[in-house]
Amino acid sequence: MDNCIFCKIIAGELPGKVVYEDPMVVAVEDIDPQAPHHYLIFPRKHLPTTLDLTEGDDQLVGHVFRVAAKLARDHGFAERGFRVVNNCNEGAGQSVWHIHFHLLGGRDLSWPPG
Ligand code: DGP
């Protein structure tokens, strides 16, 4: 998708600190980290928001959570606890229109979120 930051990172046209990739998803360090560990997991396929998911994406979403758990374990913050967040649309804080899941860890995370 033209003018999509995450599509450009996937294509190698923009720099990104890739921490994980496979045929379905890519994970990068967030450019503006909100926790000691803050990664973005997104599908290679361009979908603007959670509202664009269809039944055919069920495996993809499950895979995202398994990748999140792997990253949390591999980076040593799984046992302390972590959060997987998807912001959908502007009112929830979405600013990049390629579906992505934030993985946050390495500090205590308060609830409810803002
Ligand atoms: P959201 O606000 O939920 O749409 O999250 C978008 C996140 O993307 C935000 O935490 C900052 C991050 N971000 C924006 N531009 C870039 C970029 O060029 N590279 C990386 N690694 N992250 C970016």
Side-chain angles (χ1 to χ4, degrees):
M1 175 67 72
D2 290 348
N3 294 322
C4 170
I5 293 168
F6 293 166
C7 283
K8 287 185 175 174
I9 290 175
I10 290 165
E13 294 167 6
L14 271 182
K17 291 187 179 170
V18 175
V19 292
Y20 177 86
E21 60 182 322
D22 66 25
M24 218 180 279
V25 301
V26 173
V28 298
E29 292 182 4
D30 194 294
I31 206 168
D32 181 23
Q34 302 300 312
H37 296 276
H38 186 172
Y39 307 119
L40 301 170
I41 305 167
F42 42 83
R44 291 184 182 275
K45 168 170 118 171
H46 182 89
L47 292 169
T49 82
T50 293
L51 294 168
D52 298 298
L53 290 167
T54 66
E55 191 177 343
D57 299 311
D58 288 358
Q59 190 187 353
L60 168 66
V61 177
H63 185 64
V64 164
F65 276 81
R66 296 227 311 122
V67 169
K70 173 181 168 46
L71 285 170
R73 284 196 188 96
D74 288 353
H75 291 266
F77 59 92
E79 294 308 317
R80 180 171 181 176
F82 59 92
R83 188 169 291 166
V84 180
V85 178
N86 166 251
N87 297 323
C88 182
N89 279 343
E90 282 178 10
Q94 185 172 3
S95 60
V96 177
W97 303 95
H98 181 130
I99 190 172
H100 52 281
F101 298 79
H102 298 255
L103 170 61
L104 299 142
R107 66 169 170 83
D108 290 340
L109 298 162
S110 61
W111 191 262

